[in-house]
Amino acid sequence: IGTPAYPSTGNVVGGSGNLFQVPLVASVGWGMEFDDLSFLVSGGVGVQWTTLRADGISSAANPERIMSFDSSTANMRYELGLELGYRVTDRFTLGGYLRWSTTSPVDFGSASIDPSDVAVPFPAGSLPPGSTPPPYALQTGDVKADWIRTVAFGFSARIEF
């Protein structure tokens, strides 16, 4: 009713938890070989399942509002990669890679707010005349991330059959 007790925009701060990402990407690559060295450039498109499990998060604009998340979403994923390899034997190559990926915008949904953490009065004039305000204002909008970007470094081992 009326103006929300808290805005749903702004950065979030604090808290702890985990952000899990499970990608499934179809990639194509182009490579070159120079004696025992190989170089590969790849790119791909797919889907990424993202799960956010976190608590103790607050809004930068309203640090007394404590929120938690337990949500999952699926989004498009785009990936670019570089790989450098060294052929150890005719059928075995060791190497290293760098992969950059990003997702389409992610919507984590509404946060859960623990009413025992904070008592928030409703703004003056936001309730109908004669009504009794509840002890807590538990309003939150959808929390969205424009993009989730990831950079991965790693080692690779390739066995040719």
Side-chain angles (χ1 to χ4, degrees):
I1 300 172
T3 306
Y6 289 107
S8 61
T9 60
N11 295 324
V12 294
V13 295
S16 63
N18 294 298
L19 177 71
F20 301 100
Q21 302 176 48
V22 179
L24 178 61
V25 178
S27 296
V28 295
W30 176 79
M32 296 186 316
E33 291 189 12
F34 306 101
D35 295 326
D36 290 337
L37 290 178
S38 61
F39 178 74
L40 176 70
V41 176
S42 63
V45 176
V47 66
Q48 175 173 299
W49 289 270
T50 304
T51 299
L52 176 63
R53 291 192 180 119
D55 57 16
I57 299 169
S58 62
S59 166
N62 300 289
E64 65 276 0
R65 178 177 67 171
I66 307 299
M67 302 178 289
S68 63
F69 289 91
D70 189 358
S71 62
S72 296
T73 183
N75 296 86
M76 292 294 296
R77 179 183 173 107
Y78 312 97
E79 189 173 281
L80 295 173
L82 299 172
E83 184 174 336
L84 184 63
Y86 178 75
R87 184 176 296 275
V88 178
T89 68
D90 286 343
R91 296 183 177 210
F92 183 70
T93 302
L94 286 176
Y97 64 84
L98 168 68
R99 289 194 185 103
W100 176 83
S101 66
T102 188
T103 66
S104 59
V106 179
D107 184 351
F108 290 112
S110 296
S112 300
I113 300 174
D114 184 354
S116 65
D117 286 338
V118 61
V120 181
F122 275 78
S126 65
L127 294 173
S131 63
T132 304
Y136 306 104
L138 302 177
Q139 297 176 338
T140 179
D142 281 356
V143 174
K144 298 178 182 182
D146 288 337
W147 302 92
I148 296 178
R149 293 181 179 95
T150 308
V151 175
F153 301 93
F155 296 100
S156 62
R158 187 171 55 227
I159 300 171
E160 298 175 13
F161 296 98

